[in-house]
Amino acid sequence: GEGGAPPPSPPGRPERRVYLDSVLAQLWSRPGQTPIRTSQYLMLPSARMPTLVVPRRPRRATASLIRSYKSSAGPLMRFLLKGLAVAARCGATDLLPSTTAVTTGWAAAGAAGGSPQRDPRAGDLDVVTFLEGALGRPLCSGLYTSPPRANRKPVLYLVSPRGESVGFVKIGTSPLTRDLVTHEAQALRRLGASTLEHLLVPPLILHTMWRDNVVLVQGALLTGGRRPPSRAAVVAAMRELSAFDGLGVESVVDGPYVTRLDERMAGLPDTAMASRLRAALTTLRAQGGNAEVCVGAWHGDWTPWNMGPAADRVAVWDWERLGFGVPVGFDLLHHDIQTLIVRERRDPRAAAGSIVRAAPELLHEMGLSTSRQEARLVSLLYLVEVGTRYLHDQQREAGAKLGDLTSWLLPTLDGALEAMARGGQGATT
């Protein structure tokens, strides 16, 4: 954390640790200033696979950062985190060997030579000191890491030295993530100005620039209860969001949404996957006939781990993909396919086929009275939407697990369209 790029990683060092080292060097650095103090940070669950990184001191803050990790986790994970938080509060985590040194004190540039110290600008400060000045209070931070993906970005959780929750920080450090963080700030501002009955959205605390990075600070949504939100509560919140900016009805063949989707696909790199995806949309439109879809707003990445229970509402975060004028039902389709793939460890191709077959029932849950063929068309448009996003973001190049569309999404699309052409109304094998 002394500034600049980290030293070359030893051969065989896990990618997650390499990523952590680069983030620490990027965020905890001060150009032109000499490190004079370091602090020990715990890497959990291990140094080889650091998912959560927290300071050893102060103990209250450490315990709070550990306890608050994965608020949407299941009962076993919550039990383990609670136990680890108690250990941190008692100082028992001092015995854990998985630590890394983070620079937390610097000599100002010019101080060693006796020249006057200059007032640091925002770009001269490490990110936590910058946030302390912006928010006007002392802070302790935990750092989250995640698997490789194009939209991976530093995420911090801020608490006071006494462990009181302050908020979450997202830092856009690349062209894609800067756009996403900016979009999320705009989404929170827009949603926060409205009264929502079923949906709880994080408050926007700060949206600013630090160095060349976009910084978003949003309030933490303190969820309660041991059980996840009920299916009925989740669907009610999705339906409320879909109508947030009004509902409309459009043609599957030449409506505004499909036209915009076609334009986005035209801007994709000229690859084999992009060509197959364009061909699938062309076929879908050709088979659409007089079919129409209901359009509204969607979260864009609504998953079980992006939400939690909040009294009689559903707390939902990660709003960087909020969109308008898309077929209603996309959120529920996305939620269910991600549940199958991530939580139930289903094969991605099998999961995609499953949600295509289940589309009529899922859209009925969303309050829509559509024919089975129209519902299946919505599910195929969803797959095209996700495929377009993955190709635009270059998820395969970033190493994302689902980045290779040829292994799951494209075969599902092709099979469903062939079945539809034979009169099977989108049935998949």
Side-chain angles (χ1 to χ4, degrees), residues 26 64 84 106 188-189 226 233 296 343:
Q26 183 177 27
S64 178
L84 192 56
W106 293 262
L188 295 180
R189 189 175 290 113
R226 296 187 176 184
R343 287 283 170 88

Side-chain angles (χ1 to χ4, degrees), residues 40-262:
Q40 291 297 312
Y41 275 60
L42 290 168
M43 296 180 289
L44 303 171
S46 69
R48 289 185 58 82
M49 191 58 65
T51 300
L52 173 64
V53 184
V54 297
R56 280 193 184 275
R57 297 287 189 280
R59 289 177 178 175
R60 284 188 177 183
T62 304
S64 178
L65 291 167
I66 293 173
R67 187 172 52 251
S68 301
Y69 177 62
K70 277 192 174 295
S71 60
S72 61
L76 177 59
M77 175 62 74
R78 284 198 298 268
F79 175 79
L80 294 174
L81 290 171
K82 184 177 181 180
L84 192 56
V86 171
R89 183 73 179 267
C90 298
T93 51
D94 289 349
L95 302 175
L96 296 176
S98 301
T99 62
T100 185
V102 175
T103 304
T104 54
W106 293 262
S115 58
Q117 297 185 22
R118 55 189 168 84
D119 292 330
R121 298 167 299 172
D124 297 328
L125 301 175
D126 65 280
V127 70
V128 175
T129 306
F130 166 70
L131 290 169
E132 287 180 326
L135 300 180
R137 60 187 303 178
L139 299 169
C140 298
S141 67
L143 172 67
Y144 299 163
T145 70
S146 59
R149 49 187 178 147
N151 52 316
R152 179 162 65 172
K153 66 187 77 66
V155 177
L156 306 176
Y157 181 42
L158 302 178
V159 299
S160 74
R162 294 178 59 84
E164 301 150 330
S165 176
V166 176
F168 285 92
V169 184
K170 290 187 177 183
I171 305 172
T173 59
S174 67
L176 172 62
T177 58
R178 282 193 287 268
D179 287 345
L180 290 173
V181 172
T182 298
H183 185 77
E184 181 162 16
Q186 296 168 345
L188 295 180
R189 189 175 290 113
R190 183 170 182 178
L191 292 168
S194 301
T195 301
L196 298 169
E197 179 182 355
H198 301 285
L199 191 60
L200 182 63
V201 177
L204 175 63
I205 297 175
L206 179 69
H207 177 216
T208 187
M209 296 292 296
W210 171 72
R211 298 178 183 171
D212 293 326
N213 309 305
V214 180
V215 177
L216 167 65
V217 183
Q218 55 188 289
L221 293 178
L222 302 180
T223 59
R226 296 187 176 184
R227 296 181 180 274
S230 68
R231 177 79 169 191
V234 172
V235 171
M238 288 181 177
R239 292 175 65 169
E240 180 176 50
L241 175 64
S242 68
F244 175 78
D245 197 43
L247 298 172
V249 177
E250 297 179 1
S251 165
V252 168
V253 176
D254 56 5
Y257 167 74
V258 177
T259 300
R260 291 195 308 272
L261 180 58
D262 196 26

